[in-house]
């Protein structure tokens, strides 16, 4: 079986997550060796995935946690204390 | 007592003690979940102030319903499903100001999932973007995703939940998580690859955004 680029793109996400079966993975690897387009698509998709995991990209608003726990304190210890 | 978040024994012990009256320990129980709760709600509600308010309401609902937690899922997954219900309730109350905000979109949702293919191989990479700008580009691109994709990408790629927990938190199948994640990443790659050429994530030894 010789897979084409479109076929590779369909599996890129699962490939990145290591969720494609061994046989298909080998096919994709073989395709990637000779296809610069698909290698680039794979690299850039993986870059997006890696960037999204970076905690600096998605930061909680300043003071979020303090406000949350202050609000919780009102619930945990209603007026008058416990 | 191990305090690792997601450690079921630690969670069970804390839950028992909170229910037995050590209410202040609830702070420690909810702390590891608050980031994911906020970003899931931000993804659903698309408004920082409302997402924060909803996150606080979620935490309070979790506390009030703690005795309902059965332990047949991860605590965080249970908390996220409460957050999701909170978000859906708010969206319904807002009478779906934006039609794509509700979960009811089908998988047949349109969209071009073919990747961006950059053929300018020798082109000098665009100016190296500051991380701040990279973050802004990513956030904007994610914000533009249809809601059903945005919620999945948020939990899987940003909060790093696995497929099972993501499916449980969103009330969808693992198969749907995979399909939506694939489409979301494809849309993001298509949108971002041309803009992020030359930016390489520090943790990855990857060199190329486009051929």
């Amino acid at each position: 079986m010789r897979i084409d680029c479109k076929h590779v793109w369909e599996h890129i996400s699962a490939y990145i997550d290591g969720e494609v079966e061994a046989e298909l993975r080998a096919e994709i690897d073989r395709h990637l060796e000779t296809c610069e387009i698909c290698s680039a698509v794979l690299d850039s998709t993986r870059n997006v995935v890696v960037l999204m995991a970076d905690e600096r990209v998605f930061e909680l608003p300043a003071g979020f946690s303090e406000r949350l726990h202050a609000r919780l304190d009102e619930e945990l210890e209603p007026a008058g204390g416990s | 007592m191990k305090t690792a978040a997601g450690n079921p024994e630690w969670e069970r012990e804390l839950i028992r003690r909170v229910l037995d009256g050590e209410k202040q320990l609830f702070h420690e129980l909810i702390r590891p979940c608050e980031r994911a709760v906020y970003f899931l709600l931000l993804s659903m509600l698309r408004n920082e102030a409302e997402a924060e308010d909803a996150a606080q309401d979620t935490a309070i609902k979790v506390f009030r319903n703690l005795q309902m937690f059965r332990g047949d899922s991860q605590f965080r997954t249970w908390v996220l499903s409460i957050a999701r219900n909170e978000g859906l309730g708010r969206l319904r109350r807002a009478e779906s100001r934006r039609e794509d905000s509700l979960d009811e979109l089908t998988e047949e949702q349109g969209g071009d999932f073919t990747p961006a293919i950059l053929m300018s191989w020798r082109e000098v990479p665009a100016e190296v973007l500051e991380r701040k700008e990279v973050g802004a580009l990513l956030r904007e691109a994610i914000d533009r995703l249809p809601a059903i994709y945005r919620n999945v990408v948020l939990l899987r790629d940003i909060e790093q939940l696995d497929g099972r927990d993501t499916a449980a938190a969103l009330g969808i199948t693992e198969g749907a998580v995979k399909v939506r994640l694939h489409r979301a990443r494809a849309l993001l790659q298509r949108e971002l690859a041309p803009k992020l050429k030359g930016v390489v994530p520090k943790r990855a030894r990857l060199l190329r955004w486009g051929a």
Side-chain angles (χ1 to χ4, degrees):
Chain A
M1 184 181 73
R2 185 89 192 130
I3 56 176
D4 61 17
C5 297
K6 238 185 140 180
H7 198 104
V8 170
W9 300 343
E10 281 168 19
H11 295 284
I12 279 208
S13 179
Y15 181 92
I16 288 172
D17 291 336
E19 289 175 356
V20 293
E21 286 169 21
E23 199 181 330
L24 178 58
R25 186 167 198 92
E27 282 294 334
I28 293 174
D29 285 339
R30 227 180 341 265
H31 180 97
L32 289 171
E33 276 170 24
T34 55
C35 180
E36 291 202 349
I37 290 172
C38 285
S39 307
V41 170
L42 173 68
D43 286 349
S44 55
T45 305
R46 193 182 271 144
N47 283 351
V48 169
V49 172
V50 170
L51 278 173
M52 282 194 287
D54 189 322
E55 291 202 351
R56 286 167 298 182
V57 172
F58 290 89
E59 288 181 338
L60 284 168
F64 169 86
S65 197
E66 290 77 2
R67 289 189 295 275
L68 174 75
H69 290 275
R71 172 102 188 268
L72 270 176
D73 268 330
E74 292 171 20
E75 172 75 17
L76 302 180
E77 294 190 32
S82 55
Chain B
M1 184 165 66
K2 255 170 84 180
T3 58
N7 172 351
E9 281 174 43
W10 176 74
E11 285 166 358
R12 259 199 304 274
E13 168 76 1
L14 266 189
I15 290 167
R16 188 186 62 71
R17 290 174 63 184
V18 171
L19 290 174
D20 280 352
E22 292 182 72
K23 293 181 185 174
Q24 285 300 324
L25 288 176
F26 184 73
H27 289 291
E28 303 319 310
L29 184 62
I30 199 72
R31 209 178 291 278
C33 305
E34 60 194 43
R35 215 188 111 91
V37 164
Y38 173 76
F39 284 113
L40 175 60
L41 286 163
L42 181 62
S43 169
M44 295 177 78
L45 302 169
R46 312 179 90 176
N47 175 297
E48 289 192 3
E50 194 175 4
E52 177 162 348
D53 193 53
Q56 293 180 1
D57 284 354
T58 298
I60 287 169
K61 282 181 182 164
V62 168
F63 174 70
R64 289 185 185 164
N65 292 289
L66 197 57
Q67 76 284 356
M68 311 275 284
F69 176 62
R70 292 277 166 261
D72 46 10
S73 65
Q74 268 200 52
F75 180 66
R76 183 172 64 169
T77 308
W78 184 68
V79 170
L80 284 170
S81 63
I82 291 174
R84 177 173 160 271
N85 283 334
E86 176 66 26
L88 284 175
R90 283 171 182 250
L91 286 174
R92 286 198 196 97
R93 285 199 290 282
E95 293 267 78
S96 59
R97 275 185 298 253
R98 296 181 52 92
E99 287 202 349
D100 74 349
S101 297
L102 290 175
D103 257 12
E104 285 135 24
L105 291 178
T106 67
E107 298 294 345
E108 304 314 314
Q109 173 94 12
D112 189 345
F113 302 105
T114 52
I117 300 162
L118 308 174
M119 296 307 292
S120 45
W121 181 246
R122 290 190 180 76
E123 190 183 301
V124 178
E127 75 279 16
V128 175
L129 298 162
E130 293 294 318
R131 184 165 291 272
K132 237 183 184 171
E133 293 171 53
V134 174
L137 283 171
L138 255 178
R139 287 190 296 271
E140 282 163 24
I142 289 167
D143 189 54
R144 274 197 292 274
L145 289 174
I148 61 169
Y149 301 147
R150 200 168 56 235
N151 295 342
V152 167
V153 101
L154 193 289
L155 294 181
R156 280 288 279 110
D157 282 342
I158 298 169
E159 289 304 315
Q160 309 275 300
L161 267 66
D162 63 20
R164 222 184 84 185
D165 286 346
T166 302
L170 296 177
I172 57 179
T173 65
E174 281 188 67
V177 168
K178 276 183 198 169
V179 170
R180 292 180 191 187
L181 183 65
H182 174 71
R183 291 181 178 173
R185 287 171 173 174
L187 290 170
L188 291 172
Q189 187 272 352
R190 189 181 167 80
E191 160 104 15
L192 291 167
K195 295 179 183 166
L196 293 179
K197 271 187 84 175
V199 177
V200 180
K202 279 205 178 106
R203 280 192 283 137
R205 297 180 302 278
L206 303 172
L207 298 169
R208 293 173 300 168
W209 285 94

